[in-house]
Amino acid sequence: MKNLLIHLNGPDYEWQQEVEPLLKIQIDNGLRFWKREDILLVTNFEYEYNGVKALVIEDWNYCEFKPTVSKVLAILRLFELDIIKDETYWFHDLDAFQLQPLDFTLTKDMALTDYGITTIRPSYNKRWSTGSWFFRRESIDIFQMILERSLKDGINEEASLGRIIKNDSSLRNRIEKINISYNFATRKRDIEKTLEIAIRPLKVLHFHPSDTRKLSNGMTNMEYAMSVMPEELQDIFKKNL
């Protein structure tokens, strides 16, 4: 399995202040679980940290109308360059942090979690979340369909994925919805109710450290994160933030 990290410098990013600390945390934390050669960092600029050097791909497009669609563009570019091989890839957002070894075996072409129990509205609970995404080489056509629908409808990749599955029931046999433990997000979630459906210990905690809004349990993101992180990851945060 490969640990895939992607960051594209877009027009609205504060690279040094916001993104670079997260990337350093991801690399330092990743090396607790992965060999250096199994961490695939992809950027559109030169970068190296702690022995992990970025694969620089400059000639791709940035999706300005829905920036998160850019990760689909990047993954498709990796397919085009034959960088995606016959193994499992775990892509995750830079604010989705691994807490435990990933004891997951991909049996279909793609696997993601849903949103868990949200504080938005019940319809969001079953929405696909692309913040932690397992896939293999056979999924290339699904990524292409996601991109095409996003561009056609002007929507993000999560909404696009939901629509293409609704329109093509055969895709349900190729995409697995996995337990929220692999993408336990805090933003607009009912923390306690989502914990009830999570397999513990949590595998991946998805939160933005600079978001100071209170969670459903009254804690801030960092307060809650520090309460569930292993000590080694707490030390990495203290070092880099």
Side-chain angles (χ1 to χ4, degrees):
M1 188 185 295
K2 298 293 187 185
N3 179 352
L4 176 58
L5 297 169
I6 297 173
H7 175 69
L8 305 180
N9 255 357
D12 299 325
Y13 279 77
E14 292 292 339
W15 162 245
Q16 295 290 338
Q17 295 181 10
E18 181 180 8
V19 180
E20 188 173 21
L22 295 181
L23 194 51
K24 288 181 175 180
I25 291 169
Q26 287 291 353
I27 292 172
D28 285 344
N29 187 50
L31 291 172
R32 297 173 52 228
F33 304 102
W34 305 77
K35 298 177 181 177
R36 277 182 173 81
E37 59 267 28
D38 290 331
I39 299 176
L40 178 56
L41 171 61
V42 180
T43 64
N44 55 354
F45 56 96
E46 296 286 344
Y47 186 74
E48 183 174 0
Y49 173 72
N50 201 353
V52 176
K53 187 173 183 179
L55 170 65
V56 181
I57 304 177
E58 297 178 347
D59 57 337
W60 58 30
N61 294 319
Y62 182 82
C63 186
E64 294 191 13
F65 77 92
K66 291 291 181 183
T68 57
V69 175
S70 298
K71 59 191 175 188
V72 177
L73 286 164
I75 290 171
L76 283 170
R77 186 71 176 123
L78 295 178
F79 276 112
E80 291 173 5
L81 295 172
D82 199 30
I83 291 169
I84 303 297
K85 303 297 183 182
D86 292 325
E87 56 188 315
T88 298
Y89 290 78
W90 175 48
F91 165 80
H92 54 109
D93 291 347
L94 291 186
D95 57 351
F97 305 95
Q98 185 175 352
L99 304 182
Q100 301 289 336
L102 299 182
D103 55 349
F104 176 74
T105 300
L106 182 63
T107 59
K108 297 189 178 183
D109 293 341
M110 185 180 286
L112 313 88
T113 72
D114 57 23
Y115 264 44
I117 310 300
T118 72
T119 57
I120 308 170
R121 56 181 180 269
S123 61
Y124 263 75
N125 295 1
K126 300 302 180 183
R127 183 182 175 119
W128 296 92
S129 175
T130 59
S132 178
W133 204 339
F134 296 88
F135 67 92
R136 59 185 182 181
R137 196 169 190 168
E138 290 79 3
S139 65
I140 182 172
D141 64 317
I142 303 177
F143 280 105
Q144 290 169 335
M145 286 186 280
I146 291 171
L147 177 62
E148 289 170 5
R149 193 60 185 261
S150 291
L151 296 177
K152 177 183 177 182
D153 295 353
I155 56 177
N156 69 23
E157 76 289 351
E158 292 177 341
S160 176
L161 178 58
R163 291 185 187 184
I164 66 171
I165 292 174
K166 184 177 181 180
N167 291 338
D168 184 353
S169 59
S170 67
L171 291 176
R172 296 182 183 275
N173 297 322
R174 300 176 57 196
I175 303 173
E176 180 180 1
K177 189 170 282 189
I178 56 177
N179 188 266
I180 198 66
S181 179
Y182 289 94
N183 188 19
F184 191 92
T186 60
R187 182 174 179 268
K188 296 184 179 180
R189 304 305 198 275
D190 187 314
I191 300 297
E192 296 304 325
K193 289 183 179 179
T194 304
L195 277 174
E196 291 177 4
I197 64 172
I199 296 173
R200 289 185 268 183
L202 299 177
K203 303 296 192 301
V204 179
L205 181 64
H206 193 162
F207 76 102
H208 203 291
S210 65
D211 188 346
T212 59
R213 288 173 292 183
K214 292 294 182 72
L215 305 179
S216 65
N217 60 4
M219 303 172 76
T220 67
N221 271 299
M222 281 304 299
E223 287 171 344
Y224 181 70
M226 289 295 180
S227 74
V228 298
M229 278 183 196
E231 186 175 342
E232 295 88 345
L233 182 52
Q234 292 183 37
D235 292 340
I236 289 171
F237 266 84
K238 292 172 184 176
K239 168 189 170 185
N240 289 293
L241 286 184

